[in-house]
Amino acid sequence: MSARLSHFFVTIVRAAGNRLVELAIVMVSVATMVFVLLRVVPGDPVLILGGLDTLDRAVIESAREQMGLDRSMLEQYVIWLGNMAIGDFGQSLRSGAPVSQLIGNALPPTLQLGIMALVIGIALSIPLGVAAARRAGTATDAGITTFSIIGISTPPFVIALALIYLFAVHLRLLPVAGYVPFDEDPLENLRHMALPALTLGLVTAGVLVRIMRRSVIDELGEDYVRTARSKGVAESRVVYGHAVRNAALPFVTIAGIEAGVLLSGAIITETIFAIPGLGRLMIDNINQRDYPVVQGAVLAVAFIYVLINAFVDALYRVLDPRIRTRLAS
Amino acid sequence: MADVETNPPALAVHDLRVGVGPSGRQSVVVDGVSFTVPAGGRLALVGESGSGKSMTAMAIAGLLPGRFRILSGDIKLAGETIDPMARSMTRRRGRDVSVVFQDPMSALNPVMTIGAQLIEAIRVDTAVSRKAARKRAIELLEEVQIARAAERLNAYPHEFSGGMRQRVMIAIALANRPRVLIADEPTTALDVTTQVQILRLIDDLCRLEGAALLLITHDIGLVEGLCDDICVLYGGRVMERGPVASVISQPGHPYSNGLISAIPPLDEDVPWLEPIAGEPAAAAHLGKGPACPFAPRCPMVKQVCHTDRPDLQPIGPYVDAACHFASAQPGHRVNTS
């Protein structure tokens, strides 16, 4: 197992290397698109900040100049890219706080929410998906599939409100909303994160249950499963040791995509539960047309996407020896 | 069949019927098949695709695909009646009855090492320590003539050729010294030179381990020299059974005769091999009406074949055939006209 584990880390490092070029391309493309889109959208940050009628023209112009908004779009773009290359993401137009600091503050709650939701989603979907696959066509299967469809088709905000009503309002077990940093009070942090994580976890589980069910059904029909049975291996080991291990390949791919989807799902969930994360940061500053902050936040999300992809790739190599051999040769 | 043994036969199948589909509306794919394999004996189940030979084998091992089920019949392993569909069958598999499958490319788990799959089979039996199981796995790989066995344990199936994978499959099947080895078309997916090696290996190892062999094949040419007895199936029914030598030299049933006429002889040039006319009967049409299942394709068909289903009856020493005109068969191998 340790050989496998060290191999895992080697492949992660190698995959990360391969991904660096890809990362650069993705980041520049995303940066360009965000930059252009923000400036095409109507609405002037200076007017929004100052109130529409109160300021006279001279004040507006000087504010523009100060923020660099009087330059041409191309000039702004080049300056911004140049600054980013040396690690300077700019300052908020409103507060003047460095964008890197705002993102640094918003990242922990979002990452915590995403990881918790993913863990809940995976922890629910493996046993449920396997159970449904083993009893395909029975009432158990129908029940689990129904749960899955509800999870997929219900908007996250409806799930969130239902959970708030049940656990916060009715049972009074958990707080309605809010956020406490983990290093301040771990227990309160978890109590506040429980409902948002469960909301996104249920949505994720809905998708992953379907994938796990379908994959295990497919794998159970494979010849190697029959071979395992012919050896006299107990059925639970046939299912978990053989079929689920092969079903892990498609499952990991979809789980990686879902991890990315969670980031966008986090926008709504963070807003409902008043969590000061990346999603909230983006929404607030889009409304304020605070260009540097939105640009920085979007780039942070894109960066996380690329990292997740690289991780899934590395995991795939660990899980499937055929891919390992193909890449090694 | 072969001589009467004092100890019970390794495998005795009596009047086995297998159906597919929802209960009440099944089609019968194996219809009253009976045969016996003495301890250490070798029997070939021969027939075309759809003859029910593989389903017979899978029924015995309790490995029928989802919608298939055993309708009736009695299966005895070493004199003891078993229920292959029962949960308790799990502990008999690999020990009382083991299987080598047709396609070695898909029969092994692609994400587990050869060693892990072999050791899993070994450790199914009693409390074998990890270390002892590893040692036995190396022995088994050596027995199936895989070189550098110890390091090959860490290889994955895709790193092996088809022939080597089939050797691994044989090692897995023999890991717990089964009483009966079912080889379901073990060489069909392999190239010709490998075929011979694999058959020889199965032959040698069954002898060495004292396992009885049930060989499933569509190639009646493989049977000579490997098996003692043959059982020819068509449409889920036994057409003819008896010692290989008698059946091949003097086929009693027109279907056996047709199969034998389709073997290319090694020592002469034949311009034309005689095929059996028509297509194998579809399972859905079987078991209905009292006709002989082979009647639509039979070169000797008479009126009675469409109205009366012939029962298996003795036509010679140890030979039974299900044909109204069984004794009338000429004993030729090839139609050279």
Side-chain angles (χ1 to χ4, degrees):
Chain A
M1 199 62 209
S2 74
R4 249 184 121 161
L5 215 63
S6 68
H7 183 92
F8 177 60
F9 289 116
V10 169
T11 47
I12 281 190
V13 170
R14 194 184 300 159
N18 291 342
R19 290 281 169 160
L20 271 180
V21 179
E22 192 186 321
L23 177 68
I25 297 172
V26 169
M27 297 310 272
V28 171
S29 315
V30 171
T32 310
M33 275 192 293
V34 176
F35 185 88
V36 173
L37 277 174
L38 275 177
R39 278 154 185 80
V40 168
V41 172
D44 186 318
V46 177
L47 295 181
I48 291 171
L49 282 173
L52 285 173
D53 319 308
T54 48
L55 297 169
D56 65 51
R57 265 208 103 60
V59 176
I60 290 172
E61 285 311 318
S62 81
R64 277 233 164 91
E65 217 166 295
Q66 208 191 324
M67 294 173 180
L69 295 173
D70 57 330
R71 303 184 196 228
S72 77
M73 242 174 81
L74 189 66
E75 253 179 299
Q76 289 183 37
Y77 176 66
V78 172
I79 292 170
W80 180 59
L81 275 189
N83 284 342
M84 269 202 310
I86 57 168
D88 177 8
F89 290 85
Q91 289 90 36
S92 162
L93 296 180
R94 273 191 302 172
S95 64
V99 170
S100 48
Q101 188 194 321
L102 291 174
I103 290 173
N105 291 340
L107 216 45
T110 299
L111 289 183
Q112 188 191 354
L113 177 59
I115 290 168
M116 282 176 71
L118 198 60
V119 168
I120 291 172
I122 291 173
L124 280 175
S125 60
I126 292 177
L128 287 177
V130 171
R134 289 178 75 170
R135 295 167 190 79
T138 65
T140 312
D141 179 28
I144 293 171
T145 305
T146 308
F147 162 81
S148 155
I149 292 172
I150 291 173
I152 293 169
S153 53
T154 312
F157 75 88
V158 174
I159 296 180
L161 293 177
L163 289 177
I164 290 173
Y165 177 75
L166 182 64
F167 288 102
V169 178
H170 195 72
L171 296 174
R172 297 185 179 281
L173 286 173
L174 296 165
V176 173
Y179 175 73
V180 178
F182 189 80
D183 46 5
E184 250 171 50
D185 186 345
L187 187 67
E188 273 307 303
N189 166 275
L190 289 179
R191 274 171 40 87
H192 280 84
M193 285 305 233
L195 289 183
L198 193 56
T199 303
L200 288 177
L202 287 174
V203 175
T204 312
V207 177
L208 293 183
V209 162
R210 285 185 80 83
I211 301 298
M212 188 43 96
R213 174 183 178 274
R214 185 68 254 163
S215 308
V216 171
I217 288 176
D218 288 347
E219 295 300 333
L220 284 176
E222 291 290 330
D223 282 358
Y224 70 81
V225 166
R226 190 176 57 173
T227 303
R229 286 187 179 132
S230 81
K231 294 196 278 193
V233 174
E235 187 61 18
S236 62
R237 193 178 153 81
V238 170
V239 172
Y240 278 96
H242 288 269
V244 173
R245 228 161 126 175
N246 278 276
L249 301 171
F251 184 79
V252 161
T253 309
I254 305 296
I257 295 172
E258 282 304 305
V261 172
L262 279 176
L263 286 175
S264 48
I267 295 178
I268 296 168
T269 313
E270 284 174 6
T271 307
I272 293 177
F273 289 100
I275 297 168
L278 216 48
R280 264 275 298 283
L281 187 71
M282 269 195 279
I283 287 293
D284 289 353
N285 288 288
I286 286 171
N287 290 336
Q288 298 293 336
R289 302 293 187 277
D290 198 337
Y291 297 157
V293 180
V294 178
Q295 285 161 176
V298 171
L299 282 178
V301 170
F303 185 71
I304 297 172
Y305 262 105
V306 177
L307 282 189
I308 292 170
N309 267 326
F311 183 77
V312 168
D313 259 25
L315 206 55
Y316 227 97
R317 280 172 230 204
V318 173
L319 290 173
D320 192 343
R322 287 162 297 186
I323 295 177
R324 258 190 336 249
T325 319
R326 210 177 307 142
L327 292 171
S329 55
Chain B
M1 290 228 169
D3 302 311
V4 181
E5 306 272 335
T6 42
N7 35 347
L11 173 67
V13 175
H14 181 70
D15 205 17
L16 178 69
R17 296 178 78 241
V18 176
V20 62
S23 55
R25 283 183 290 132
Q26 292 111 339
S27 336
V28 177
V29 295
V30 174
D31 190 9
V33 166
S34 305
F35 57 81
T36 306
V37 191
R42 290 108 184 279
L43 175 86
L45 275 186
V46 178
E48 289 166 286
S49 315
S51 62
K53 57 190 190 305
S54 272
M55 286 307 138
T56 302
M58 290 304 119
I60 295 164
L63 296 171
L64 284 171
R67 291 158 54 247
F68 288 79
R69 49 188 52 80
I70 295 175
L71 303 175
S72 62
D74 181 53
I75 298 169
K76 282 194 174 75
L77 280 173
E80 196 184 334
T81 296
I82 59 161
D83 175 4
M85 302 314 274
R87 198 169 265 274
S88 60
M89 187 65 191
T90 303
R91 106 196 117 73
R92 292 189 180 275
R93 286 190 207 112
R95 282 155 270 195
D96 289 342
V97 54
S98 228
V99 189
V100 173
F101 295 100
Q102 174 170 354
D103 188 359
M105 305 315 265
S106 57
L108 295 171
N109 188 333
V111 304
M112 275 172 87
T113 61
I114 301 294
Q117 299 188 54
L118 201 46
I119 288 167
E120 186 182 43
I122 295 163
R123 286 178 53 123
V124 149
D125 195 40
T126 59
V128 187
S129 75
R130 212 165 262 282
K131 213 173 148 208
R134 210 186 130 79
K135 199 163 152 268
R136 170 97 174 114
I138 294 172
E139 273 171 29
L140 280 165
L141 283 189
E142 280 164 356
E143 263 178 40
V144 297
Q145 292 156 26
I146 286 181
R148 295 182 288 124
E151 69 187 83
R152 287 298 186 31
L153 284 181
N154 297 320
Y156 286 93
H158 71 275
E159 296 167 298
F160 277 18
S161 69
M164 279 170 76
R165 291 189 213 184
Q166 199 61 303
R167 288 170 193 272
V168 173
M169 192 61 237
I170 292 168
I172 288 174
L174 292 175
N176 291 309
R177 303 194 167 85
R179 248 187 258 275
V180 178
L181 177 71
I182 297 175
D184 185 7
E185 305 252 11
T187 60
T188 306
L190 305 173
D191 62 61
V192 180
T193 47
T194 318
Q195 281 187 7
V196 178
Q197 294 168 4
I198 294 293
L199 284 177
R200 196 163 294 158
L201 190 64
I202 291 176
D203 185 32
D204 290 347
L205 290 178
C206 280
R207 213 179 293 276
L208 191 72
E209 304 283 351
L213 174 67
L214 180 62
L215 175 73
I216 317 294
T217 180
H218 64 271
D219 187 351
I220 203 168
L222 294 180
V223 174
E224 236 178 334
L226 183 61
C227 294
D228 320 314
D229 296 315
I230 185 170
C231 179
V232 179
L233 296 188
Y234 184 81
R237 297 181 67 88
V238 177
M239 296 292 105
E240 183 167 10
R241 66 177 180 215
V244 170
S246 339
V247 173
I248 289 190
S249 63
Q250 194 99 37
H253 195 284
Y255 181 60
S256 321
N257 188 49
L259 287 177
I260 292 159
S261 300
I263 309 172
L266 292 173
D267 46 2
E268 46 187 309
D269 245 357
V270 194
W272 172 251
L273 290 169
E274 198 59 47
I276 301 173
E279 295 289 321
H285 300 136
L286 299 174
K288 289 180 188 155
C292 169
F294 190 55
R297 299 173 69 192
C298 184
M300 305 177 55
V301 66
K302 300 266 166 35
Q303 190 55 41
V304 62
C305 302
H306 294 294
T307 55
D308 282 305
R309 187 153 63 194
D311 289 324
L312 265 183
Q313 52 201 336
I315 60 158
Y318 306 118
V319 182
D320 302 317
C323 177
H324 296 298
F325 310 100
S327 52
Q329 280 306 298
H332 65 169
R333 285 187 59 129
V334 181
N335 226 339
T336 44
S337 51

